[in-house]
Amino acid sequence: MDGDVRVGPELDTFSLLFPLPYRVALIIVLGVWAWGANLQYLSLLGIDVPGLIRYPSRASSTHPSHALSTNRLAFLLSIPLLLSLLLFWAITHLSPRLVIAWDILPALYLLLLLVLFALPTGNFRALSNYSNGAYKLSHSGRYRTLNVLKRVSIGGLAEASEGKFGDILMADVLTSYAKVLGDLFVALCMFFSRGRSATGMPDRGCGGEVLVPLVIAVPSVIRLRQCLIEYVRVRNQNRREGWSPARGWGGQHLANALKYSSAFPVIVLSALQRSVIARGGWVGEVALFRLWLFFVFINSFYSFYWDVAKDWDLTLFSSEEERDNPDHPWGLRRILYFGDPRLYYAVIALDLFLRCTWSLKLSPHLDHFNDLEGGIFTIEVLEVFRRWVWVFFRVEAEWIRNNRAPAQDDVLLGELHRRDTEDRID
């Protein structure tokens, strides 16, 4: 990858071909396609995702499925993105001067993205007719999604009967989009700053050294607050009704809150590594890197453990008796909707690998990969891909918890039954 080859005073090669606003837009659109694929495949397995997130069912069998509606939205978002990018290349001829001058094109697409996603279907009857129904999407679906975003954006969490699992899924997805949100802020900051261009070389110090790290930290703050809300709910219920073994005392929610808190030192130290002040003398660059390495190691492996043991309810990190139970494949569980145990082992290995992409900085040949614009984009796409895979198994585990009564000798599901779903939220 030649993403660091300079072609002018403002741009590197990758930014010349694929400016920052288009990268942000592409990852957002990919996320919509990914959610549609989640809905489609899980539905084929008999898992009712809309039911789990308390999404209203279709009023008629003639209405498009939730997966089809999502894919139609993704298609509608993809076509103008492709056309905008092709027009951008045609106008600029990949000239650095013209690329910088024409930042209005990707900015207009980001505006269109917001309009198509947020406004009611009725405002686009002509578009719906022209597209032969491709935009006849469920307005209630997009309206509900925006309401969920509004609620979780301040760390809110619905009650279980009102879609709590959907809030948790949305907030967890936002944590995977943290760096994308940071890049969106950078692109908008550069677009509205005098003398700068959103299609110029990304300036991740735009707005000051603090704002971008704060934006990146917001999704983790949201999940942290949700975990604390869950802990307070359990504590208050115990005060009203007395302590119950099925409910527990809420300690798992505190442990989950600690997991999200472990992201903050990584964000702060990453910002300091980019800071001129940090390199200037009050702390050495090597010492700062070692401190960052310590915290990123804790965050990555704590998060990996939580993915496997808590989010997916696998027994890989359970006691030897549970892990070696002959009633299920080693380290997994009895009920496996995806069939082949080898797939589960492969996904565990994939999750570990993608949780540890930071290790590229330890390679003498790839240590600058995370500093290249192409490298940053690749890491962001891989994280969205990891989250897409994670959703399949997280939803599978939630479906099992809610729809399968444990047998008397079912070690894993019996434990879930005793502690109750309320104390097992990821």
Side-chain angles (χ1 to χ4, degrees):
M1 184 179 296
D2 61 346
D4 203 40
V5 178
R6 297 286 175 176
V7 296
E10 295 291 338
L11 291 172
D12 65 356
T13 304
F14 188 77
S15 297
L16 180 70
L17 292 169
F18 204 18
L20 184 63
Y22 281 125
R23 292 177 234 161
V24 172
L26 176 61
I27 295 177
I28 293 173
V29 173
L30 285 176
V32 181
W33 280 112
W35 178 237
N38 288 136
L39 292 173
Q40 182 70 35
Y41 190 72
L42 289 168
S43 175
L44 293 176
L45 293 178
I47 296 177
D48 181 15
V49 180
L52 282 177
I53 63 178
R54 301 299 188 268
Y55 185 90
S57 59
R58 294 304 194 211
S60 170
S61 59
T62 61
H63 290 176
S65 67
H66 298 89
L68 180 57
S69 292
T70 303
N71 289 334
R72 285 177 173 178
L73 176 60
F75 178 79
L76 189 68
L77 298 178
S78 300
I79 294 303
L81 174 59
L82 177 61
L83 294 177
S84 177
L85 190 56
L86 290 176
L87 179 61
F88 182 81
W89 287 339
I91 292 176
T92 63
H93 301 289
L94 303 183
S95 163
R97 180 180 60 82
L98 293 175
V99 165
I100 292 173
W102 280 90
D103 63 339
I104 188 63
L105 280 179
L108 286 175
Y109 175 76
L110 290 176
L111 177 61
L112 179 64
L113 187 69
L114 174 64
V115 169
L116 291 178
F117 188 81
L119 291 189
T121 307
N123 293 344
F124 296 94
R125 294 188 186 277
L127 176 60
S128 182
N129 294 331
Y130 176 77
S131 60
N132 195 28
Y135 195 62
K136 289 181 179 178
L137 309 171
S138 171
H139 166 54
S140 63
R142 286 177 288 129
Y143 180 76
R144 181 180 174 85
T145 300
L146 292 174
N147 278 343
V148 171
L149 277 171
K150 184 188 302 184
R151 182 166 58 244
V152 303
S153 65
I154 57 173
L157 185 65
E159 296 289 345
S161 61
E162 298 173 354
K164 178 177 69 175
F165 181 58
D167 286 8
I168 291 170
L169 275 184
M170 177 68 76
D172 271 323
V173 168
L174 287 178
T175 62
S176 291
Y177 271 82
K179 290 184 179 179
V180 180
L181 294 175
D183 279 352
L184 176 60
F185 173 83
V186 169
L188 293 176
C189 176
M190 294 174 64
F191 181 78
F192 289 107
S193 297
R194 184 182 299 272
R196 292 184 179 182
S197 169
T199 51
M201 191 66 181
D203 177 12
R204 291 183 172 80
C206 188
E209 297 176 350
V210 176
L211 283 179
V212 174
L214 282 178
V215 172
I216 293 175
V218 165
S220 294
V221 172
I222 289 172
R223 281 300 285 128
L224 170 62
R225 186 171 186 270
Q226 287 182 335
C227 293
L228 296 179
I229 289 173
E230 281 288 86
Y231 169 73
V232 171
R233 286 178 181 175
V234 171
R235 187 186 62 180
N236 291 340
Q237 191 172 359
N238 284 338
R239 287 177 177 175
R240 292 192 308 267
E241 304 172 7
W243 183 83
S244 167
R247 190 165 50 244
W249 64 277
Q252 185 152 318
H253 300 304
L254 292 181
N256 201 16
L258 180 62
K259 182 192 75 172
Y260 291 104
S261 299
S262 68
F264 301 140
V266 177
I267 294 171
V268 171
L269 291 169
S270 295
L272 288 177
Q273 284 183 304
R274 295 178 179 273
S275 169
V276 176
I277 298 176
R279 298 175 187 273
W282 70 271
V283 61
E285 185 176 349
V286 174
L288 194 62
F289 176 76
R290 289 175 178 173
L291 193 59
W292 171 86
L293 191 62
F294 172 76
F295 282 107
V296 78
F297 181 89
I298 292 175
N299 174 257
S300 296
F301 284 93
Y302 193 177
S303 299
F304 169 68
Y305 160 79
W306 203 274
D307 288 343
V308 174
K310 306 298 182 181
D311 290 340
W312 299 343
D313 292 341
L314 303 179
T315 59
L316 183 63
F317 299 115
S318 300
S319 65
E320 184 177 353
E321 179 184 1
E322 291 179 296
R323 188 169 54 249
D324 297 338
N325 191 325
D327 290 338
H328 59 70
W330 183 86
L332 302 183
R333 48 173 148 77
R334 175 175 296 179
I335 302 173
L336 303 175
Y337 271 83
F338 296 100
D340 193 344
R342 291 174 296 182
L343 175 62
Y344 288 79
Y345 297 133
V347 167
I348 291 171
L350 177 68
D351 191 71
L352 176 61
F353 172 75
L354 294 180
R355 283 285 188 185
C356 297
T357 51
W358 50 266
S359 61
L360 292 172
K361 285 193 173 184
L362 303 180
S363 169
H365 304 292
L366 300 174
D367 58 330
H368 293 296
F369 182 82
N370 288 351
D371 297 323
L372 304 176
E373 288 302 317
I376 293 172
F377 175 73
T378 301
I379 295 299
E380 291 174 351
V381 171
L382 287 176
E383 172 56 21
V384 171
F385 173 75
R386 186 198 68 80
R387 183 62 67 180
W388 175 66
V389 175
W390 175 93
V391 166
F392 282 110
F393 296 88
R394 177 65 183 90
V395 172
E396 178 204 28
E398 189 71 15
W399 181 254
I400 294 172
R401 296 174 193 176
N402 284 272
N403 293 277
R404 293 297 184 97
Q408 292 296 320
D409 60 345
D410 193 327
V411 176
L412 176 63
L413 293 181
E415 179 183 353
L416 285 173
H417 181 64
R418 290 193 301 271
R419 285 190 278 178
D420 194 82
T421 302
E422 290 296 317
D423 203 31
R424 291 290 304 245
I425 297 300
D426 53 343

